[in-house]
Amino acid sequence: MTNFLPITKQELLETGVSQPDFVYITGDAYVDHPSFGAAIITRLLQSQGYSVAVIAQPNWHSTQDFQRFGEPRLAFLVTGGNIDSMVAHYTSAKRRRSNDMYSPGGKAGLRPDRAVITYCQQLRKAYPHAAIAIGGLEASLRRFAHYDYWDDAVRPSILVDSGADLLMYGMGEHQITELAQQLADGVPIREITGIRGTCYLTNPVNTPWGAVQCPDYAQVCQDKKAYAKATRQQYDQQDEITGKTVIQRHRDKMLVQNPPALSLTQEELDAVYALPYQRRPHPMYDAQGGVPGIEEVQFSIAHNRGCFGYCNFCSIALHQGRRITCRSEESILDEAKKIIAMPNFKGYIHDVGGPTANFRLPSCKKQEKAGMCAGKKCLAPKPCKALQVDHSEYLHILRKLRALPGVKRVFIRSGIRFDYVMADPDDTFFKELVAEHVSGQLKVAPEHVSNAVLDKMGKPHIECYEAFQKRFYEITKSIGKKQYLVPYLMSSHPGSTLQEAVKLSLFLRDHGLHPEQVQDFYPTPGTISTCMYYTELDPYTMEPVYVPKTPQEKAMQRALLQYYLPQNKQLVLTALRQAGRQDLIGTKPGCLVAPDAKPRSASHPKQHKGGASPRNSKPSPRKKSRRS
């Protein structure tokens, strides 16, 4: 018997339980680590005295796997996993991925497309009247009518397609605690309509008063301005202080979103991370090589939640929220000691971070009473005058971690906001970051160099990154180290014309950067940038936005970021001509790509000694046909 939660009927019976209170179904492999939402929710329920059984990656082609434990006493809980199942399966070019980091051995194909919908439909076949609640990222970001990149169409709320009774959005500890209590008290799940951080469907006659009403599903399918308006309304009500109930009609039903759940207090957050996680995948996966998704996080510590960075292409604002909550120093050190005691720990804590590693404070002092400013960015295009910047507490924790016996190095890998670092008048943190917490390379995310594109991304202007870059290398040189910045850059984001893509290419040329990987903008469900991609409108100004959509243009923008690769030459040439930048075609210094060789005259071929044919006159081989 392991210390994991039961995954078989026999293991459940060995705990003295024949019918579990909850059956938790996930699209990921079963990993009992606090970086996995499934582990947090199941351990939290267990700590509250409920019995929980886990079904990880069930076979969805029949109901058999879903009937493993029978119908639970209180409810089925369903999640697609740590990421949206469609993102897990497909690249931004809609090509099928060859692996899945959250499956045993990295094997692809162990979860269905649209996992939450598929799992719920099989549960409804097996148990037509069972209580079903859905949560996790896939459910959270698809709670309203939303543009779906893979269908290239607007889909209804996932509550409609799944047939579930209740949706928990955001970080779910408060929601699941209150839901479990009401279910245990005998309240039918269809009558549980007052929990913050949840959504439900109801007859329009039961719609609560005082709600903000979005354009309905039929409207947002037909009218892109209505879709953009709905997106802004949904984001503007995503604050736990000022957020109101939001409603959106779906045919003969009304979708009701209650205001966001309250953030966990520090004491509550500490308690969540003190739960008895095994901190590894279930041993049933050992023979398959484990679960690759654990590798980056097994020796990492999450010290905060939320992000007031609020990038338009990021889902955090709509899921975790913009409010920062943090664990205590004692909680973080206790987790570090557990990591040190693990038999495979080699002395390196891989990360002390979160959505943004260097946030420990609210962005300003007024938030506790007034909430976050709707429609405004704390850091972009420039830091707000009310921004409070202080790295001292984070720095103190890092120093304590470095001093622990058995710790050789403590790295920061989850990403820092360089604009927040530059806003700090005290550069002590910057100096220690470079000296102590970088493993040769520091990854940062300027994302682009065109300020017009950065404005659509909700990112700071490039001058801030250039100042950060300059200071980084000054500090690196002063301590005698050779360390490098690795900038994350994105092609084809809304607002990026070919001319803007060329500017990004020139930035790479001027800085001698040759990125090995290029990130195409990926229109994932629920983000502001995805709204721009679909509607070609900025939801906050309603002004038109240029959107590169054709595969050819997206390929050209991507190729410009890797203009130096021979296989990209024709795409780069085409892009430069279309952008009117023929001045960058040539062999002179500063050019991006050489022109095509001029075809030689067929009647006057150049002769070589010995009568040999010139190399480039050799007939090219036929292209092999791609197998379907």
Side-chain angles (χ1 to χ4, degrees), residues 153-164:
V154 177
R155 293 180 67 97
S157 166
I158 197 170
L159 263 177
V160 173
D161 283 341
S162 68

Side-chain angles (χ1 to χ4, degrees), residues 96-153:
R96 191 87 182 183
R97 298 189 194 274
S98 58
N99 53 34
D100 185 336
M101 298 298 286
Y102 295 101
S103 293
K107 184 179 179 180
L110 297 182
R111 79 180 91 209
D113 287 355
R114 312 191 189 285
V116 170
I117 294 171
T118 302
Y119 293 161
C120 288
Q121 289 173 345
Q122 291 291 36
L123 286 173
R124 280 282 174 246
K125 289 180 185 178
Y127 306 104
H129 306 295
I132 303 175
I134 59 178
L137 198 70
E138 182 166 326
S140 185
L141 298 182
R142 294 176 180 268
R143 60 190 185 264
F144 293 104
H146 57 280
Y147 172 73
D148 184 271
Y149 176 59
W150 305 272
D151 281 356
D152 192 24

